[in-house]
């Protein structure tokens, strides 16, 4: 261990997250590997190590001879201070070597609020932030993850964005970098742009109109005019990390996690993941059971969780649960389900899996009125919601969590009040159905501010302002009629910034730089987020944030991400937007294909089979 | 159920693993290694283990004790199996025959290293030795009720500081293990308080051996 690190660690909280050395970490001889990859997660160790994608890519890269992939996480504030004070650059956990020594640095971008952390981590590593300031001697900086469907605010800093699933694309990029060792950076970038799914932002010129909107995005140097994401074609047989790192300190999701399928059949119009991960590709229950058992044996975990966008839609869910329970129950290993849809079938499975635990149930109606649920294509009726509650109450549960969004397109005050109405109906239902009334019922209701995301039918919509969101919060709060209901609302300030970055363009790079320079980092943590810092940066750089968040875009506007594609056609997104405005629902992919276009990515199969 | 005892060390990077995390790490290691172990009853059953005298975070040790119960007849072969399932720096030394109650552990022999970046100040070892011959050495200690004064002299059976090379003082000490225990790192704090010019730039600590109240090896 670095002698300076030895002196720092006794002074910081939870030092073991900075040491590496966990069971299952991969150590290679750095003199024998040809390419060193630093997998950076722009948040804390506890969050990053809970991310299945990070574990998959770590495994995929380390399986390759000649490549050593190590991990890097964002330090907590106290650690960052010590690193800076002692002049110790950010390092990778496995070798303890600083990031400058790596060939490729790859960031995982899951949420916009991590952007300033990307810059901060580069700065902590002593690496110039702007791609144009990094010549051939510097590591190649790449990034993947959900945010790459509009990564424009980071375009000035990242050399290559990898769109879609990285299992195939990332190794291809590494192979390319190995074969072009010593080549000019320019040449490497041009070659990288030839990989399907790789987006090299410096090879695209963006022109603007007088009103600030984008006029055109033009590809140069042979780069494709549209970059389309990659998907794993054979998900059944694709890599799953049965052997993985078992952290020596507690992380957020400290358990084995199985990935049932990728994509989602539902098409909720607000949900970015539901569109950008299409089409649905599943793994068989048999394979999943094998993977789960193997992973449990090798990890020693006492809990296994199922993960996917809408787990209830997994065709073999019952079989999978039965097979897993058959192995887990005798060993006292717990099976935990994510929140399921509130339909009867799912409730039945919940009951059988959680026989012992009568913990709360979570339902996400997202909107209070049927009209608005139709607008967002959340195919969940009030009857289904109430039935689910009834089953839960009759089964002995006395608590319920409900999630809603405020600020959805077309939302009126009536829709807002319908949330309170629905919650109250649930309280009344409990009085009727509860088996044990002594402890009362607890309904926890949360709202978040809706943030329109790129590549969804709502990508053209205006986001409500923070003031408007807060007005609706007050409206809702005052309409609550029962002490059994606790109402928590997320603050709107983070949502405004999230909205600006989500649909921002390259000109926001300067804002990110300014915010980072004035201390912005770890901003998904309320203790570090400061709206003032952003406001100051907008003002200083003369940027109107409302232009990005609270402005409705026209059909013909060139969106900053229009040269990128998740496979779903813009025409389809627009038609879904129109359907939303008419309050029409679109059936799920299993009922009827709506022709979104994502099937063209799936050369090896057909959607959801 | 068979009662068993392991002696293990916790060194290097692993010294930063907290006691609670160490318990979890062992519970999982037992599962991975497939060593049968009694589980706790109840809501969230897990492997039942107990580790005597929790080691402060940052302190290394070569003499930690872990007790567990197993429905199986186990022999020394489990040492290797468990070691293969443990993270770097945590390593089982032996399956111990000694089943004395851990309550009989009264003293711990340990070694403290004080590092001086600018070289050890003149006469440091002598001055440290004479400080700990005083009637009392009071330091303020964090407790549940805020900070309280604590005399560490009754908790130190013996202490010997000597210079090692140009930049290091090594203190070999026998400190109280329990009721009350003394975290040997407080010896370094006491030096910094009473002899500020001898405050080290860095200090580290290693537990070497457990002793009973007769100062015999436990
Ligand atoms: S092509 Fe049809 S079935 Fe496939 S994801 Fe799109 S809408 Fe669903």
């Amino acid at each position: 261990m670095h002698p300076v690190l030895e002196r720092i660690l006794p002074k910081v909280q939870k030092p073991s997250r900075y040491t590496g050395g966990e069971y299952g970490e991969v150590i290679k001889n750095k003199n024998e590997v040809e390419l060193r990859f630093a997998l950076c997660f722009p948040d804390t160790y506890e969050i990053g190590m809970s991310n299945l994608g990070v574990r998959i890519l770590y495994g995929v890269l380390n399986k390759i001879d000649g490549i050593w992939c190590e991990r890097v996480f964002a330090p907590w504030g106290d650690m960052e201070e010590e690193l800076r004070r002692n002049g110790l650059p950010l390092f990778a956990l496995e070798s303890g070597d600083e990031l400058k020594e790596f060939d490729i640095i790859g960031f995982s971008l899951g949420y916009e609020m991590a952007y300033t952390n990307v810059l901060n981590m580069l700065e902590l590593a002593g690496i110039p932030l702007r791609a144009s300031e990094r010549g051939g001697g510097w590591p190649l900086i790449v990034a993947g993850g959900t945010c790459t469907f509009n990564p424009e605010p980071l375009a000035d800093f990242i050399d290559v964005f990898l769109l879609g699933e990285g299992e195939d694309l990332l190794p291809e990029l590494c192979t390319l970098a190995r074969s072009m060792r010593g080549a000019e950076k320019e040449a490497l970038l041009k070659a990288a742009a030839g990989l399907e799914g790789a987006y090299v932002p410096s090879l695209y010129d963006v022109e603007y109109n007088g009103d600030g909107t984008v006029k055109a995005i033009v590809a140069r140097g042979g780069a494709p005019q549209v970059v389309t994401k990659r998907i794993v074609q054979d998900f059944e047989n694709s890599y799953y990390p049965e052997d993985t790192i078992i952290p020596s300190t507690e992380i957020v999701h400290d358990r084995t996690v199985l990935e049932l399928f990728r994509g989602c059949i539902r098409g909720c119009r607000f949900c970015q993941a539901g569109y950008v991960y299409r089409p649905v590709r599943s793994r068989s229950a048999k394979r999943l059971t094998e993977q789960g058992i193997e992973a449990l044996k090798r990890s020693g975990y006492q809990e296994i969780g199922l993960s996917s966008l809408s787990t209830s839609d997994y065709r073999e869910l019952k079989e999978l649960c039965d097979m897993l329970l058959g192995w887990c129950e005798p060993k006292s290993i717990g099976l935990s389900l994510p929140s399921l849809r509130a339909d009867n079938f799912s409730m039945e499975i919940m009951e059988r899996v959680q026989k012992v635990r009568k913990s709360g149930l979570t339902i996400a109606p997202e909107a209070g009125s049927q009209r608005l649920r139709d607008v967002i294509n959340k195919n969940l009726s009030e009857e289904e919601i109430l039935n689910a509650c009834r089953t839960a109450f009759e089964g002995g549960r006395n608590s319920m969590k409900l999630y809603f969004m405020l600020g959805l397109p077309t939302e009126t005050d009536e829709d807002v009040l319908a949330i309170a109405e629905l919650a109250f109906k649930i309280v009344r239902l409990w009085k009727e159905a509860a088996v044990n009334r002594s402890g009362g019922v607890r309904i926890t209701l949360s709202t978040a501010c809706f943030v329109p995301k790129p590549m969804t039918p709502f990508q053209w919509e205006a986001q409500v302002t923070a003031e408007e969101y807060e007005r609706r919060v007050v409206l809702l709060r005052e309409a609550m009629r029962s002490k059994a209901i606790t109402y928590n609302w997320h603050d709107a300030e983070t949502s405004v910034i999230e909205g600006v970055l989500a649909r921002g363009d390259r000109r926001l790079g300067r804002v990110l730089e300014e915010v980072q320079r004035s201390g912005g980092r770890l901003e998904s943590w309320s203790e570090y987020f400061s709206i003032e810092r952003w406001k100051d940066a907008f003002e200083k750089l003369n940027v109107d944030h409302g232009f990005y968040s609270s402005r409705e875009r026209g059909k013909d506007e060139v969106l900053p991400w229009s040269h990128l594609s998740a496979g779903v056609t813009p025409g389809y997104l627009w038609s879904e937007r129109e359907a939303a405005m008419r309050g029409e629902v679109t059936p799920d992919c299993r009922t009827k294909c709506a022709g979104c276009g994502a099937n063209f990515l799936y050369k090896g199969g057909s959607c959801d089979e | 159920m068979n009662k068993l005892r392991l002696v293990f060390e916790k060194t290097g990077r692993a010294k930063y693993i907290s006691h609670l995390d160490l318990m979890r790490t062992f519970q999982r290691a037992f599962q991975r290694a497939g060593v049968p172990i009694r589980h706790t009853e109840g809501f969230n059953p897990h492997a039942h283990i107990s580790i005597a005298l929790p080691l402060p975070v940052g302190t290394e040790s070569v003499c930690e004790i872990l007790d567990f119960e197993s429905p199986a007849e186990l022999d020394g072969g489990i040492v290797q199996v468990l070691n293969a399932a443990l993270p770097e720096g945590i390593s089982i030394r032996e399956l111990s025959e000694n089943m004395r109650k851990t309550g009989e552990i009264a003293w711990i022999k340990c070694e403290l290293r004080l590092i001086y970046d600018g070289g050890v100040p003149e006469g440091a070892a002598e001055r440290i030795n004479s400080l700990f011959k005083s009637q009392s050495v009071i330091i303020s200690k964090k407790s549940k009720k805020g900070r309280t004064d604590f005399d560490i002299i009754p908790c130190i059976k013996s202490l010997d500081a000597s210079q090692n090379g140009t930049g290091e003082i090594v203190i070999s000490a026998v400190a109280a293990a329990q009721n009350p225990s003394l975290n040997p790192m407080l010896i370094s704090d006491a030096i910094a308080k009473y002899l500020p010019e001898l405050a080290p730039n860095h200090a580290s600590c290693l537990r070497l051996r457990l002793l009973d109240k007769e100062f015999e090896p436990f």
Side-chain angles (χ1 to χ4, degrees):
Chain A
M1 195 184 287
H2 196 289
V4 176
L5 188 58
E6 284 269 9
R7 294 188 185 192
I8 293 176
L9 289 179
K11 300 180 192 159
V12 301
Q13 293 172 45
K14 304 192 195 161
S16 64
R17 55 188 164 170
Y18 305 115
T19 61
E22 310 95 316
Y23 178 79
E25 77 170 2
V26 177
I27 299 292
K28 296 191 181 184
N29 181 340
K30 67 176 172 188
N31 301 316
E32 282 169 12
V33 296
E34 240 182 80
L35 185 130
R36 297 187 67 186
F37 191 101
L39 187 55
C40 295
F41 194 89
D43 210 318
T44 61
Y45 178 90
E46 293 87 332
I47 305 275
M49 285 305 295
S50 301
N51 184 294
L52 182 59
V54 166
R55 290 171 182 270
I56 292 175
L57 295 175
Y58 185 80
V60 163
L61 290 178
N62 278 321
K63 272 199 314 175
I64 303 172
D65 256 351
I67 297 181
W68 185 14
C69 172
E70 305 181 40
R71 296 159 299 149
V72 186
F73 299 96
W76 193 245
D78 58 348
M79 181 64 172
E80 173 175 343
E81 235 170 77
E82 292 293 341
L83 290 176
R84 287 186 190 273
R85 181 172 16 222
N86 291 280
L88 190 67
L90 191 63
F91 54 89
L93 293 185
E94 280 74 1
S95 63
D97 289 341
E98 59 175 298
L99 294 191
K100 272 184 212 153
E101 293 182 30
F102 286 74
D103 300 294
I104 305 183
I105 294 175
F107 283 96
S108 161
L109 303 175
Y111 31 91
E112 293 80 5
M113 297 318 289
Y115 287 180
T116 48
N117 246 2
V118 172
L119 302 197
N120 201 45
M121 287 170 79
L122 287 175
E123 189 189 87
L124 284 171
I127 294 173
L129 305 189
R130 291 195 166 254
S132 57
E133 286 164 20
R134 298 188 302 261
W138 293 98
L140 187 73
I141 315 282
V142 307
T146 318
C147 291
T148 54
F149 290 103
N150 176 32
E152 290 303 281
L154 286 174
D156 292 344
F157 312 106
I158 303 290
D159 295 311
V160 187
F161 290 105
L162 305 173
L163 270 59
E165 295 160 13
E167 286 105 321
D168 301 321
L169 181 51
L170 198 51
E172 286 168 24
L173 182 78
C174 291
T175 307
L176 183 74
R178 280 167 90 172
S179 70
M180 291 185 70
R181 185 172 291 280
E184 291 283 318
K185 182 173 174 186
E186 195 64 18
L188 176 61
L189 290 179
K190 279 197 175 140
L195 298 173
E196 211 184 304
Y199 164 47
V200 179
S202 59
L203 296 180
Y204 295 75
D205 291 325
V206 183
E207 292 166 40
Y208 300 93
N209 293 310
D211 63 1
T213 55
V214 175
K215 186 172 179 206
I217 302 169
V218 185
R220 276 188 292 109
Q225 189 50 52
V226 174
V227 179
T228 304
K229 77 166 184 199
R230 284 289 283 278
I231 61 165
V232 167
Q233 295 289 333
D234 183 3
F235 183 60
E236 172 76 0
N237 293 305
S238 74
Y239 172 81
Y240 171 77
E242 286 167 354
D243 253 325
T244 187
I245 296 168
I246 312 306
S248 305
T249 183
E250 198 171 13
I251 58 172
V252 180
H253 297 303
D254 221 353
R255 55 176 175 243
T256 289
V257 176
L258 287 177
E259 195 183 9
L260 277 45
F261 58 90
R262 297 229 171 125
C264 180
I265 62 168
R266 292 283 158 185
C268 296
R269 292 176 180 131
F270 58 85
C271 176
Q272 189 185 31
Y275 284 90
V276 301
Y277 294 119
R278 289 179 176 213
V280 169
R281 290 142 293 148
S282 359
R283 221 167 243 162
S284 66
K286 183 170 167 288
R287 170 65 56 97
L288 286 166
T289 308
E290 286 162 10
Q291 289 176 341
I293 292 175
E294 206 45 43
L296 284 167
K297 278 189 192 159
R298 295 192 199 184
S299 64
Y301 273 134
Q302 285 291 96
E303 187 183 345
I304 182 165
L306 309 182
S307 146
S308 274
L309 289 174
S310 170
T311 303
S312 308
D313 290 324
Y314 181 63
R315 289 180 197 267
E316 299 177 273
L317 186 57
K318 192 173 147 306
E319 292 80 354
L320 177 65
C321 290
D322 284 345
M323 287 193 276
L324 285 174
L325 284 175
W327 194 83
C328 293
E329 258 174 346
K331 298 177 184 63
S332 318
I333 294 173
L335 169 62
S336 61
L337 293 178
S339 67
L340 297 181
R341 278 180 68 80
D343 54 33
N344 289 336
F345 168 72
S346 308
M347 295 306 297
E348 207 180 287
I349 289 184
M350 289 280 269
E351 286 306 312
R352 96 206 262 135
V353 166
Q354 296 174 342
K355 264 183 275 190
V356 273
R357 281 184 218 191
K358 289 282 179 235
S359 55
L361 185 72
T362 303
I363 302 182
E366 313 290 2
S369 70
Q370 192 60 46
R371 186 199 73 79
L372 195 51
R373 281 197 296 275
D374 288 346
V375 168
I376 61 175
N377 209 39
K378 180 90 190 180
N379 288 311
L380 191 60
S381 67
E382 180 163 311
E383 198 189 332
E384 281 174 305
I385 296 168
L386 294 178
N387 273 343
C389 296
R390 178 181 293 278
T391 316
F393 295 150
E394 285 171 353
R397 289 168 207 265
N398 291 312
S399 72
M400 177 79 56
K401 281 192 188 134
L402 299 169
Y403 286 106
F404 295 92
M405 280 186 284
L406 290 179
L408 286 164
T410 78
E411 184 179 68
T412 61
D413 285 0
E414 233 168 82
D415 297 311
V416 175
L417 295 172
I419 295 176
E421 207 46 53
L422 180 60
F424 190 60
K425 274 184 199 162
I426 294 174
V427 174
R428 272 202 315 245
L429 179 75
W430 175 83
K431 289 189 181 141
E432 240 174 76
V435 285
N436 175 7
R437 249 163 252 170
S438 59
V441 62
R442 283 202 45 169
I443 309 288
T444 312
L445 189 157
S446 314
T447 63
C449 179
F450 170 62
V451 179
K453 290 287 170 92
M455 309 244 176
T456 66
F458 293 152
Q459 62 177 356
W460 294 275
E461 298 314 303
Q463 179 176 338
V464 296
T465 60
E467 297 72 35
E468 177 56 21
Y469 171 75
E470 278 149 17
R471 188 189 68 81
R472 296 184 196 185
V473 165
V474 173
L475 182 69
L476 179 55
R477 196 181 58 203
E478 287 173 356
M480 293 299 175
R481 287 196 279 151
S482 164
K483 283 209 174 59
I485 305 169
T486 313
Y487 174 31
N488 303 321
W489 55 95
H490 295 264
D491 79 294
E493 289 174 335
T494 324
S495 308
V496 169
I497 303 305
E498 188 188 325
V500 169
L501 296 174
R503 293 189 293 169
D505 56 43
R506 296 186 172 195
R507 291 170 297 184
L508 291 179
R510 292 178 313 141
V511 175
L512 286 174
E513 234 169 11
E514 178 61 28
V515 171
Q516 187 273 336
R517 206 177 298 141
S518 56
R521 35 95 206 243
L522 295 171
E523 292 192 295
S524 52
W525 299 84
S526 55
E527 50 266 70
Y528 286 100
F529 176 76
S530 147
I531 188 74
E532 296 311 322
R533 227 173 349 233
W534 287 93
K535 283 187 176 157
D536 291 348
F538 290 135
E539 194 170 321
K540 182 168 172 192
L541 299 167
N542 206 4
V543 170
D544 169 18
H545 65 82
F547 173 81
Y548 295 102
S549 59
S550 48
R551 179 177 64 91
E552 184 178 331
R553 279 78 164 161
K555 184 184 181 196
D556 298 320
E557 181 171 334
V558 178
L559 301 171
W561 54 93
S562 56
H563 54 315
L564 307 175
S565 168
V568 177
T569 64
Y572 176 76
L573 293 177
W574 183 262
S575 69
E576 276 296 292
R577 178 200 182 267
E578 296 289 277
M581 296 307 151
R582 291 192 303 268
E584 281 172 25
V585 299
T586 299
D588 63 71
C589 295
R590 198 167 287 169
T591 309
K592 184 170 178 287
C593 169
C596 79
N599 54 327
F600 292 110
L601 302 173
Y602 197 14
K603 295 163 194 103
S606 42
C607 304
D608 185 40
E609 272 184 3
Chain B
M1 288 284 169
N2 300 299
K3 287 190 187 327
L4 295 130
R5 175 167 292 171
L6 297 169
V7 178
F8 68 96
E9 54 182 60
K10 183 167 174 261
T11 56
R13 297 198 261 186
K15 73 180 174 189
Y16 295 106
I17 301 175
S18 72
H19 180 67
L20 207 68
D21 286 336
L22 182 68
M23 300 279 282
R24 260 192 290 266
T25 296
F26 266 110
Q27 283 155 0
R28 288 175 189 152
F30 273 96
Q31 301 292 332
R32 293 195 278 268
V35 174
I37 175 166
R38 180 169 82 82
H39 277 68
T40 57
E41 310 277 320
F43 197 61
N44 230 332
H46 53 266
H48 182 82
I49 57 174
S50 83
I51 296 174
L53 311 176
L55 195 59
V57 173
T59 296
E60 295 181 289
S61 172
V62 294
C63 58
E64 293 303 286
I65 280 186
L66 179 148
D67 288 338
F68 69 104
E69 291 171 37
S70 177
E73 294 292 331
L74 300 173
D75 58 28
I78 64 162
V79 171
Q80 213 188 341
V81 185
L82 276 169
N83 279 340
L86 282 164
E88 182 190 310
I90 299 175
S91 155
I92 314 282
R93 297 177 71 124
E94 58 170 353
L95 179 67
S96 176
E97 298 286 309
N98 166 20
M99 294 308 286
R100 289 168 74 183
K101 287 205 170 60
T102 53
E104 292 176 25
I105 302 168
W107 300 94
I108 299 176
K109 184 169 162 47
C110 56
E111 190 178 86
L112 207 62
R113 286 174 187 272
L114 311 181
I115 315 284
Y116 297 89
D117 292 341
V120 176
E122 269 294 307
E126 296 72 26
R127 294 181 61 200
I128 291 170
N129 282 329
S130 65
L131 170 66
F132 288 96
K133 289 196 182 81
S134 326
Q135 285 300 314
S136 68
V137 171
I138 313 269
I139 55 145
S140 98
K141 189 177 159 178
K142 259 187 266 161
S143 75
K144 288 192 190 85
K145 297 187 221 93
R147 302 196 76 91
T148 50
D149 281 348
F150 178 58
D151 184 2
I152 64 174
I153 288 297
C155 295
I156 299 172
K157 178 63 198 170
S158 68
L159 185 146
D160 178 50
S162 62
Q163 189 163 341
N164 181 26
T166 53
E168 193 178 85
I169 290 277
V170 177
I171 298 175
S172 171
V174 171
Q178 42 197 343
N179 311 322
S181 67
L182 175 70
N183 176 353
M185 281 301 233
L186 294 177
I187 293 173
S188 173
D189 290 0
I191 294 168
K193 179 181 167 193
Y194 282 81
L195 309 166
E197 61 289 359
L198 298 187
N201 297 93
H202 180 62
S204 67
C205 181
L206 168 69
R207 266 188 193 173
L208 286 171
R209 190 177 304 149
L210 305 177
L211 307 170
D212 64 15
K213 64 179 194 303
E214 318 298 337
F215 304 98
E216 292 300 320
F218 169 75

